[in-house]
Amino acid sequence: MARKKIALIGGGQIGGILALLIAERQLGDVVIYEIPNSLGMAQGKALDILEGSPVFGSDLRLQGTSDYRDVAGADVVIVTAGLPRKPGMSRDDLLKTNVAIIKEVGQNIGKTCPNAFCIIITNPLDAMVYTFQQASGLPHAKVVGMAGVLDSARFKAFIAQELNVSVEDVSGMVLGGHGDTMVPLIRTCTVGGVPLTELMGQDKIDAIVERTRKAGGEIVGLLGNGSAFVSPAASAFAMMDSYLKDKRRALPVAAYLQGEYGISGYYMGVPAVIGANGVEKVLEIQLTQQEQQELNVSLEAVKAVVAEV
Ligand code: TXD
């Protein structure tokens, strides 16, 4: 079987960790695409991992490039390309810059990788995945955004820590847009099959929900220079792995909705089955009135950013 080709568009913090995870688990050959100014960084990261490959025992090709011809024909494309906010830059300035970048990336991927499964990570996530799909013209089922896996992982990590139990036994899901309006579904959260609500008081649960909503900012504050990069890379990896191995995992991803949850024409964080065809199915859960209300608030926030785009 031919090895899979995985293109990382953006070889910064998340791109670098993704390259390492892919190499270490031998998921496929890696091409890291960067702008000419940062080509050396992409090539350096690729070479560094390649030189380590005999130590962790992986056979693979890794390459840094600034030429979309090297990206062509990729099976999976993961997009982290973008600029971080710089001092004096407003959120709007950042949005404009990243929209322009994602449009350009989308057009190039549409031309060179028509069959790829594309995972978008760049912020503001829900608007960037929308922009990428439009620019690339790729089918909606093959373009998804990564946020829910990460937000859910954070939620589960905090619960495991609080209860002093293994993360393996905590299951739970966070829906909605990637931001303060995300919707953790408490009633679906279990620990070894036991509902969370039987193991933890409401005040503790509320505190964990609040920490999950602000988790991105907590890391930004601690790092002082950049945002979380290991857990986002691991989250995108899980989505890619489910696609390439046709695992059909049920994962919360930003998927394009066509009537599900009463939403049409937008990307939103919902549970979806990820298999060989990309998004195989959006899983619809009957939401309580309050959950649906929270999801609608989240949708309004997503709509507002998409409107700016
Ligand atoms: O849950 C989530 N979706 C997220 C999203 C969680 C954490 C971080 N999230 C966002 O991911 C973050 O706000 C950023 O928008 C992206 C990427 O984060 P990362 O930490 O990897 O950013 P870097 O290190 O700045 O890397 C971005 C790279 C950088 O090396 C640029 O040179 C490159 O993108 N870049 C480009 N690459 C290709 N093509 C173009 N046009 C381009 N422009 C910049």
Side-chain angles (χ1 to χ4, degrees), residues 14-25:
I14 297 176
I17 297 291
L18 266 168
L20 174 63
L21 289 174
I22 295 162
E24 207 240 324
R25 300 189 200 169

Side-chain angles (χ1 to χ4, degrees), residues 9-15 33-35 38 41 68 80-84 98 101 104-105 120-123 125 146-147 150-151 154 178 227-229 232:
I9 312 299
Q13 296 274 66
I14 297 176
Y33 177 94
E34 262 290 348
I35 48 174
S38 301
M41 174 183 67
Y68 271 101
T80 57
L83 291 192
N98 281 355
I101 291 173
E104 181 223 298
V105 172
I120 315 306
I121 304 186
T122 306
N123 268 331
L125 192 268
M146 188 293 290
L150 173 61
D151 294 331
R154 287 170 166 163
H178 184 52
S227 48
F229 55 99

Side-chain angles (χ1 to χ4, degrees), residues 75-97:
D75 298 287
V76 174
V77 172
I78 304 186
V79 181
T80 57
L83 291 192
R85 186 147 30 145
K86 301 208 180 83
M89 207 179 184
S90 74
R91 219 187 109 266
D92 272 358
D93 296 338
L94 178 74
L95 183 65
K96 278 200 199 105
T97 311

Side-chain angles (χ1 to χ4, degrees), residues 110-123:
K111 280 187 222 140
T112 56
C113 306
N115 299 315
F117 180 56
C118 303
I119 303 172
I120 315 306
I121 304 186
T122 306
N123 268 331

